[in-house]
């Protein structure tokens, strides 16, 4: 790092830190916030709506 | 024999692209499939598609060449690309965009803003901004890609442009966003592998990481300071290698491993135009935002943060470092010259370096990476412009119930013909690549960002606030580009024609990018007008914000 001045050295460090933060965030949350199927009554409502639309 | 092998690889590559486009076509059964890829895209595909769309030939050839000229100070752009373009975008904006897009059944970025603020004007205005300015960016990418193909195969530029355009047209029209994202993922993978090989070979040829960086100081001293410090810039032809290096000295640059002097012309150029213009502008890119609406849950976005950050580091991080280090390589292996002296101009450094410093087989691999970078960006741009014509403009103006996909496909063809025509007209102005990228990114930020972020997070933001901030962003950006900024105002010549001088202002302020002025004014307008105007209907807001 001694070959960079402060400004470029800081950019280099922040570039690596940003990547590490993103990798850690992605790894920790890899299996979180998955899609949850809508409840049955919503599926029924969707089905009914589609039938009405088809009819129209 | 080599030519035969190359031809087989190219045919195989086109065949795989054709297959992925066909897969996209087979999977496209509805408007939602065509416009937002059915909202069920795999996180790997989404992340690579986002990254490959983000990184074009402009980033690799244009900005890589700028790094050879101005050095590692460009790494600030990589910091912004990763932290703002990936982390902030995916963690804070991605999920609210996805959810609001789903709740409001929005299929395009202008449609999302229009439905959030209940305004058809916003949808048409957003479409017009895309249709007016995106072709310039697309043209720059098209020229970059075509020039490489023509150079490598020794074919005519116009013929190469025609073939290149037809291939892209085919899979954008057939596959919609599904086809585009599948091909993006393949192209992103090729780009990633090529960059890793590039940095390894570069460091190896310069004796390792520490040795490579430490050589730059001596090269700067010998080829720039000792050679140019006592000479006047008027002694050199404008645009020539020595002219450009002398300019960097006058702008306050002190070496390829150093930042330019604080608040000097060079500092304002690197920080406001390159770093902030592109780094912040990415948050309001219509062709990137629509990708948040293609996934079915936040989980895909979480995973894409990991994949996307590594991808961007491998793209801009590596090409900027290699660009700067090419000076040390040329000094060592090309009779003591720096990169610009060896290649001839900023835009030629990366292609020249690849063909000179790398093995022949790698030049071929890298050619693929560049074509891939151009194709992935172009296909997404054409898809976005097509949806702007079909969905956001034509459907809103005519108010008739057309086949949305058909009109959009027609829009894609119209916009490709328009962009290709521009590429024919501007083929001798390659310097346009990096500039038009920065202009388009900064313009999108000034026009769209306050309404986009305000619309996602603030219930109190009103329709009048959104419209007025978009208009202020457009007017101020255009004014700054036409009458103030040192480069655009001079190139466009309007200030000279009306007022008799290149810029209405003088001093270092003319080096400040339009974004630095236009974005704060656009934000202030959004806040003040929203506070002064009638709040939006509670039922409408509940529909926007509540599940």
């Amino acid at each position: 790092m001694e070959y960079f001045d402060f400004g470029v050295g800081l950019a280099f460090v922040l570039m690596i830190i940003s990547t590490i933060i993103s990798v850690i965030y992605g790894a920790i949350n890899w299996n979180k916030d998955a899609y949850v199927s809508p409840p049955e009554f919503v599926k029924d409502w969707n089905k009914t709506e589609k039938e009405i639309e088809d009819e129209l | 024999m080599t030519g035969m092998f190359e031809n087989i690889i190219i045919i195989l590559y086109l065949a795989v692209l054709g297959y992925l486009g066909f897969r996209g076509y087979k999977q496209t059964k509805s408007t939602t499939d065509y416009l937002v890829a059915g909202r069920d895209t795999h996180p790997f595909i989404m992340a690579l598609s986002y990254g490959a769309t983000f990184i074009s030939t402009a980033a690799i050839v244009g900005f890589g060449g700028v790094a050879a000229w101005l050095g590692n100070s460009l790494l600030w752009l990589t910091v912004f690309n990763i932290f703002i373009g990936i982390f902030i975008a995916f963690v804070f904006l991605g999920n609210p965009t996805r959810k609001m897009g789903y709740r409001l059944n929005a299929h395009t970025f202008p449609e999302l803003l229009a439905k959030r603020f209940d305004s058809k004007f916003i949808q048409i205005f957003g479409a017009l901004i895309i249709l007016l300015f995106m072709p310039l960016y697309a043209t720059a990418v098209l020229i970059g890609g075509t020039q490489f193909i023509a150079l490598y195969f020794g074919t005519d530029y116009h013929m190469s442009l025609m073939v290149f355009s037809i291939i892209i047209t085919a899979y954008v029209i057939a596959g919609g966003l599904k086809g585009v994202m599948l091909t993006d993922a393949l192209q992103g993978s090729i780009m990633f592998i090529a960059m890793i090989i590039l940095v390894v070979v570069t460091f190896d040829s310069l004796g390792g990481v520490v040795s490579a960086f430490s050589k730059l100081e001596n090269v700067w001293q010998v080829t720039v300071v000792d050679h140019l410090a006592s000479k006047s810039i008027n002694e050199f032809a404008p645009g020539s290698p020595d002219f450009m290096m002398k300019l960097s000295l006058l702008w306050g640059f002190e070496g390829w491993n150093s930042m330019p002097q604080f608040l000097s012309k060079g500092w304002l150029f690197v920080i406001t135009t390159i770093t902030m213009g592109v780094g912040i502008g990415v948050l309001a890119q219509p062709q990137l935002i629509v990708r948040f609406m293609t996934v079915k849950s936040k989980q895909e976005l979480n995973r894409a943060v990991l994949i996307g950050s590594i991808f961007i580091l491998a793209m801009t991080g590596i090409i900027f470092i290699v660009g700067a280090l090419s000076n040390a390589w040329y000094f060592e292996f090309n009779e003591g010259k720096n990169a610009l002296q060896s290649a001839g101009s900023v835009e030629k450094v990366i292609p020249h370096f690849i063909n000179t410093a790398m093995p022949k087989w790698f030049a071929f691999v890298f050619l693929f990476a560049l074509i891939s970078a151009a194709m992935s960006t172009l296909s997404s741009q054409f898809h976005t412009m097509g949806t702007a014509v079909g969905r956001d403009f034509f459907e809103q103006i005519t108010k008739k119930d057309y086949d949305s996909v058909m009109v959009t496909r027609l829009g894609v063809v119209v916009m490709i013909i328009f962009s290709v025509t521009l590429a024919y007209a501007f083929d001798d102005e390659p310097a346009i690549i990096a500039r038009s990228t920065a202009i388009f990114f900064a313009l999108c930020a000034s026009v769209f960002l306050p309404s986009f972020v305000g619309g996602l997070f603030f219930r109190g933001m009103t329709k009048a606030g959104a419209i007025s901030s978009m208009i202020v962003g457009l007017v101020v950006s255009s004014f700054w580009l036409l009458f103030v900024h040192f480069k655009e105002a001079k190139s466009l010549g309007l200030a000279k024609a009306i007022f008799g001088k290149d810029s209405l202002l003088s001093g270092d302020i003319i080096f400040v990018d339009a974004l630095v002025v236009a974005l704060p004014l656009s934000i202030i307008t959004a806040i003040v007008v929203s506070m002064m105007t009638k709040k939006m209907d509670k039922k409408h807001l509940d529909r926007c914000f509540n599940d």
Side-chain angles (χ1 to χ4, degrees), chain A residues 36-51:
Chain A
V36 180
S37 308
E40 283 307 313
F41 74 87
V42 176
K43 286 180 187 167
D44 290 345
W45 186 84
N46 284 339
K47 197 179 161 198
T48 313
E49 191 193 30
K50 194 172 181 316
E51 283 168 5

Side-chain angles (χ1 to χ4, degrees), chain B residues 100 104 112-120 122 451 454-455 458-467 529-531 533-545:
Chain B
M100 193 173 280
L104 299 176
L112 176 75
L113 290 180
K115 288 192 169 174
R116 162 63 180 86
F117 293 109
D118 194 20
S119 162
K120 277 198 172 177
I122 288 181
S451 305
F458 303 106
R459 293 171 72 101
M461 183 149 178
T462 65
K463 177 175 163 178
I467 291 175
V529 176
S530 292
M531 287 168 73
T533 47
K534 190 171 166 263
K535 298 288 170 252
M536 297 191 75
D537 178 47
K538 187 179 176 300
K539 262 189 183 171
H540 173 75
L541 290 175
D542 285 344
R543 190 169 162 245
C544 295
F545 287 93

Side-chain angles (χ1 to χ4, degrees), chain A residues 3 5 11 30-33, chain B residues 76 79 257 259 299 302-303:
Chain A
Y3 30 79
D5 79 343
W30 191 262
N31 286 319
K32 287 183 185 169
D33 309 310
Chain B
W76 278 105
V79 175
N257 281 337
M259 287 298 288
Q299 188 183 65
N302 295 341
R303 294 177 176 186

Side-chain angles (χ1 to χ4, degrees), chain B residues 20 138 161 252 316 322 354 427 455 479 488 509 515:
Chain B
L20 292 174
L161 178 63
T316 63
V322 169
I354 300 300
D427 67 333
F479 176 81
E488 275 66 53
I509 194 167
L515 170 114

Side-chain angles (χ1 to χ4, degrees), chain B residues 445-459:
Chain B
S446 305
V447 175
F448 294 128
L449 197 55
S451 305
F452 174 48
V453 175
L456 287 182
F457 297 105
F458 303 106
R459 293 171 72 101

Side-chain angles (χ1 to χ4, degrees), chain A residues 1-36 38 46, chain B residues 72-73 75-76 78-79 82-83 86-87 91 102 209-210 213-214 217 256-259 296-307 309-310 313 317 321:
Chain A
M1 289 300 291
E2 70 274 11
Y3 30 79
F4 293 148
D5 79 343
F6 176 74
V8 172
L10 185 64
F12 196 85
V13 170
L14 289 176
M15 178 179 81
I16 302 297
I17 290 175
S18 300
T19 309
I20 292 172
I21 289 173
S22 301
V23 168
I24 292 172
Y25 178 89
I28 290 174
N29 294 290
W30 191 262
N31 286 319
K32 287 183 185 169
D33 309 310
Y35 175 72
V36 180
N46 284 339
Chain B
N72 283 314
S73 55
L75 287 177
W76 278 105
T78 307
V79 175
I82 296 170
F83 191 70
I86 297 292
F87 191 77
V91 174
Y102 191 77
V209 177
V210 175
F213 283 119
S214 60
E217 199 174 326
W256 288 297
N257 281 337
S258 310
M259 287 298 288
K296 65 180 176 185
S297 77
K298 190 167 181 278
Q299 188 183 65
E300 281 79 8
L301 295 168
N302 295 341
R303 294 177 176 186
V305 173
L306 188 153
I307 303 162
S309 63
I310 294 173
L313 177 72
I321 287 171

Side-chain angles (χ1 to χ4, degrees), chain B residues 188-208:
Chain B
S189 308
I190 294 171
M191 289 157 68
F192 184 84
I193 293 165
M195 286 296 171
I196 298 295
I197 297 171
L198 177 65
V199 76
V200 170
V201 175
T202 303
F203 278 129
D204 184 55
S205 63
L206 289 169

